[in-house]
Amino acid sequence: MRRVVPPSPLSWTCEGGIAYPAMIGIFDSGLGGLSVARAVRALLPGHDLIYLADSAYCPYGPLAPEVVRARALACATWLVAQGAGVVVVACNTATSAAIETLRARLSVPVVGMEPGLKPAVAATRSGRIAVLATSGTLGGERFQRLRERFAHGAEVITVACPAMVQLVEDGELDGPRARAVVAACVESLGARGVDTLVLGCTHFPPLRPLIAESAPGATIIDTGPAVAAQTARVAAAARIGPGDGIVRCATTGDPALVAPSLARVWGAPLPLERARC
Ligand code: DGL
């Protein structure tokens, strides 16, 4: 199997114990992974980040796992070629389909993520949990294993919410239409006794205020901060040190079309380049 090697040793190695400012590479199908990038930035403000939105292939949720795997490999390879010294798969769907392949094929450490079922089981008092995720994540073997391992005694209701993914891609984080879309996915769960919601898709944290509004009193679990903490540990072990605190963004789609939504999801405009991968 061919492994992908970063282009310049200076961008990632640590000779004589010196940490070089390699970038932390982060990708998702689209803009959802910015919720993870934000958590990474909060923890490591001096590190350089490079974020890739695979907008040309978004959404990943309905795609066959082998297509998602191929896209994940293309995105991660592109990030490594740009000088990423660690790759964060800021996407539950891509982790489910591709994490083993990425770890086998890349020469840099890879951080993945999965729905926070374990903390949800610890948090629930009613014993009913809802996992909001994509159909790809919910139908994957990885999620079945997670469920077998951690769901003991708790009832797990799964909800695929592709319309919420689209809201974030459209940069529509508020307003009557966004509120109605979120309510349609979430509102009935309270009446079913659900007291804990797992945000099992990185597109959902930007909609958290609307989700909380539609599920008053529910505990909401977002694994973004835990993934950021793991990224910080992995970056430190790989001796990736702070750089200039740069955030570089790229999309496989049309930057002019993606930029307005990216500015809304990130909370400020960021320069956006075209990635061909
Ligand atoms: N943000 C992604 C996730 O965490 C995927 C959303 C999609 O592209 O369908 O699963």
Side-chain angles (χ1 to χ4, degrees), residues 28-30 32-33 57-62 90-94 113 133-134 137 165 200-203:
D28 178 38
S29 61
Y57 291 84
C58 188
Y60 281 176
C91 176
N92 294 266
T93 314
M113 64 192 299
T134 68
T137 298
V165 172
C201 172
T202 53
H203 278 73

Side-chain angles (χ1 to χ4, degrees), residues 27-33 35-36 51 54 57-63 89-95 113 132-137 161-162 165-166 169 199-205:
F27 79 91
D28 178 38
S29 61
L31 302 176
S35 59
V36 178
Y51 183 85
D54 195 12
Y57 291 84
C58 188
Y60 281 176
L63 300 179
V89 187
C91 176
N92 294 266
T93 314
T95 299
M113 64 192 299
L132 315 178
T134 68
S135 53
T137 298
C161 317
V165 172
Q166 194 54 49
E169 289 305 306
L199 306 185
C201 172
T202 53
H203 278 73
F204 300 161

